[in-house]
Amino acid sequence: VYKRQDMLRTYQGEERTASYIEVNPAQTVKLGTPTEADLKKTYDSNKNRFVIPEFRKFQALLLTSDAAKAKLEITDAELKTAYEDDKEAFAIPEERRIEQIPFDDEAAATAAKAKLAAGAKFIDVAKEAGAKAADIDLGFKTKEALIDPKVAEAAFKLAPNTVSDVVKGRFKTFLLRVAEIKEGQQRTFDEVKADIRKQIENERVAEKIQEIQNNIDDNRLAGKTLKEISEILQLPFLDIAEVDRQGNKSDGKPALTSPDKDRLVQMAFSAEVGVENEVIQLSNDGYAWLNLIAVTPEKQKAMKDVTEDVKKAWKDIETRKQLRTATADLAKRVNNGVTLETIAKELGAKVKKTPSFKRGDSVPDFPPPAISRVFALKKDQAAAAAGSNDTTRLLIKVT
C-alpha cells in the first residue's frame, strides 16, 4: 500500500520542463498543384464535407414571459397602493462609517476609554491595543449589515466623532466611533414606480401564462391554426422557411434569433409532418407550439459543383499531412544529435522554454497534448506534438 502511495505521489508531483519550436506550414510545407486523381480521392474520402444538409420548414407559436407581462393590466392606483403599503422597502437606509477598537476583556476596554477621555487619539489607542488598520475602519455600513446586534445598536445611537461606552459584543468587547454619516432618504413614488411594476409583473406572470395557455388550447381544439391563434391573442409567431440542425439557413446565416432557438430547432428535427407535437417548455417559464411543415432531405453535392471546395479540402489535408511528416523528421534529427537552436535557425524560428509544470497544469501556448507528450518522453528526448492552434505543430525536447 505504501509503495503504491509513493508511486502515486511521484506521478502526481513530478515536474518537467521543455524547450520547443512552434513550426508553421510556411516553414515546412510545399504544395504543388493537385491532379484530377488527387481531387477525386479527396472528394470520395470526405463526401460528408460536401453535402447539402437536411432542412426543415416549421411554424411556431410562442408564449413568452415578456408577451404575458405585456398583457397584464396594472393601474397607477395599484402601483401607488403597493408603494404606500411597503414604503420602508423603498427607503435608502442610513449608512455610517464606523471605527472600532476590539478588546479581549472589559477591563482593557475601560482603561482605553479613560485614555481617550484624557485626550489620546483614537488611532493611537487602537494600535496600542494591537488592532490593525483593517480591524479599525469598517467602512460605511447600514445597521442591518452589522452582524453583532449590540454593536449595531450602539453605533447607530452615537453622535459623529464621539466615542461609545464599552460595548460587550458576542465575541469581543469594543469601543466605537462614528467618523461620518450618510443620511437615509425616502425614494419617491416616481423614482421606484418602474421597480414596483416589475415586481408585480413577476408575481402575476405565471397566472397570466396559464390563462393564455388555456386560451391557446381552446383555440386549437376549435381547429384554429397556430398563425390564426397568434393573430387572435397577439402572440409572437415564427414562420421558418428553412433551418438545418445548427439553426442556420442555406446561406449560413441564423434562421431564427429566439433565445430558445436550440430547443425549437431540436423539436423541429424530432417532429413529423402532420403530427401534433407536445408543447415545448421555453426559458423563463414560457411555452411554444410547433408544426413541422416540410422536410428537405440531405443531398450529396456533385463533385463538379464543389470543385473549389474540394481543392481547399485537399490543400488543408495535404498541409496537415506534410506538416506532421516534417515535424516528425525534425524530431528524428534532434534525437540524432542536432540541436533545437540549429533547426530554429534553419526555419527562421525561435526556441522557447516552458516553465516547470506538472501533468495536470496549464501552460501558455503549450496545449494539453504537448504536455502529455512531454511526460511520455525521456529527458533530452524530442518529439512532435499538436500546436497551440490548428495550423501549427510543436517540436519539443524534454529538458
Side-chain angles (χ1 to χ4, degrees):
V1 172
Y2 290 120
K3 186 175 181 180
R4 287 200 300 269
Q5 290 175 343
D6 288 341
M7 290 174 65
L8 180 61
R9 279 193 292 270
T10 300
Y11 180 87
Q12 293 175 335
E14 181 181 346
E15 295 186 12
R16 297 194 176 198
T17 57
S19 293
Y20 67 97
I21 302 171
E22 190 161 25
V23 185
N24 63 60
Q27 297 164 324
T28 57
V29 174
K30 295 181 180 180
L31 293 177
T33 302
T35 65
E36 287 299 318
D38 290 332
L39 297 179
K40 182 68 166 60
K41 181 179 179 181
T42 299
Y43 174 80
D44 290 339
S45 301
N46 300 274
K47 282 191 171 182
N48 62 320
R49 296 176 63 166
F50 312 111
V51 296
I52 299 173
E54 178 182 327
F55 285 97
R56 298 205 164 197
K57 179 179 181 179
F58 72 87
Q59 294 178 336
L61 173 68
L62 306 183
L63 171 52
T64 64
S65 59
D66 286 341
K69 287 177 182 178
K71 295 182 180 300
L72 290 171
E73 297 179 0
I74 304 171
T75 66
D76 279 357
E78 286 182 273
L79 297 175
K80 186 71 173 177
T81 299
Y83 174 76
E84 294 296 341
D85 288 347
D86 199 11
K87 207 168 183 179
E88 288 185 3
F90 306 109
I92 298 174
E94 177 185 311
E95 289 185 302
R96 295 189 165 206
R97 185 169 155 231
I98 301 166
E99 297 174 334
Q100 66 174 15
I101 308 175
F103 299 93
D104 290 329
D105 57 69
E106 187 175 354
T110 302
K113 171 74 173 177
K115 290 181 182 179
L116 291 168
K121 294 182 178 180
F122 193 87
I123 187 67
D124 292 336
V125 173
K127 289 180 178 179
E128 186 179 327
K132 298 178 182 177
D135 300 326
I136 299 168
D137 193 342
L138 301 182
F140 281 98
K141 299 284 185 183
T142 63
K143 189 174 182 179
E144 289 70 22
L146 293 168
I147 299 174
D148 194 319
K150 290 185 178 180
V151 171
E153 193 67 28
F156 276 78
K157 285 182 178 178
L158 275 177
N161 296 311
T162 60
V163 178
S164 71
D165 293 328
V166 174
V167 179
K168 296 184 68 174
R170 286 181 179 175
F171 307 108
K172 289 276 188 177
T173 300
F174 299 95
L175 290 177
L176 307 171
R177 184 173 71 171
V178 175
E180 195 175 346
I181 296 176
K182 290 182 181 178
E183 297 291 344
Q185 61 181 15
Q186 180 65 49
R187 288 188 289 173
T188 67
F189 171 69
D190 287 336
E191 288 177 319
V192 298
K193 181 179 177 180
D195 293 335
I196 297 173
R197 180 179 292 277
K198 287 181 181 179
Q199 182 179 333
I200 294 176
E201 284 177 348
N202 290 334
E203 291 170 354
R204 297 183 184 176
V205 67
E207 183 179 345
K208 192 64 177 178
I209 286 175
Q210 186 60 58
E211 176 191 322
I212 299 172
Q213 186 176 359
N214 291 340
N215 286 337
I216 292 172
D217 291 340
D218 291 343
N219 277 283
R220 295 187 80 196
L221 287 173
K224 298 287 195 301
T225 65
L226 295 183
K227 185 172 179 58
E228 290 172 334
I229 296 171
S230 75
E231 293 170 349
I232 293 169
L233 300 179
Q234 294 296 294
L235 293 172
F237 178 76
L238 297 177
D239 192 352
I240 305 301
E242 59 172 10
V243 63
D244 63 16
R245 290 182 184 274
Q246 281 67 50
N248 297 323
K249 298 183 291 186
S250 55
D251 61 3
K253 296 179 180 178
L256 61 163
T257 57
S258 165
D260 295 290
K261 63 181 181 180
D262 292 340
R263 299 185 193 188
L264 293 167
V265 170
Q266 182 181 7
M267 176 58 75
F269 274 84
S270 63
E272 295 181 29
V273 176
V275 177
E276 187 172 303
N277 298 292
E278 296 292 331
V279 64
I280 306 168
Q281 180 85 47
L282 301 181
S283 57
N284 295 324
D285 300 319
Y287 296 95
W289 291 259
L290 183 146
N291 281 342
L292 183 64
I293 308 300
V295 177
T296 303
E298 179 181 279
K299 182 181 178 181
Q300 183 68 49
K301 296 178 182 178
M303 183 173 168
K304 63 183 179 62
D305 297 328
V306 291
T307 303
E308 292 305 314
D309 291 336
V310 175
K311 287 180 179 178
K312 184 178 183 300
W314 175 85
K315 181 179 178 181
D316 292 342
I317 293 169
E318 187 65 18
T319 296
R320 288 197 298 272
K321 179 181 175 182
Q322 286 193 29
L323 185 60
R324 290 185 70 92
T325 300
T327 50
D329 289 343
L330 291 173
K332 289 179 182 177
R333 290 179 61 194
V334 174
N335 287 327
N336 287 330
V338 179
T339 67
L340 281 182
E341 287 73 19
T342 298
I343 291 176
K345 187 174 181 180
E346 293 174 1
L347 298 176
K350 292 182 178 180
V351 177
K352 301 178 182 179
K353 296 181 180 180
T354 70
S356 181
F357 60 88
K358 298 177 183 178
R359 282 178 167 83
D361 287 348
S362 175
V363 181
D365 299 323
F366 207 75
I371 291 175
S372 297
R373 198 76 181 92
V374 166
F375 278 92
L377 299 171
K378 297 177 181 178
K379 185 177 180 297
D380 295 324
Q381 191 175 6
S388 58
N389 57 63
D390 292 338
T391 61
T392 63
R393 284 182 68 76
L394 302 182
L395 174 62
I396 57 180
K397 180 180 180 180
V398 179
T399 54

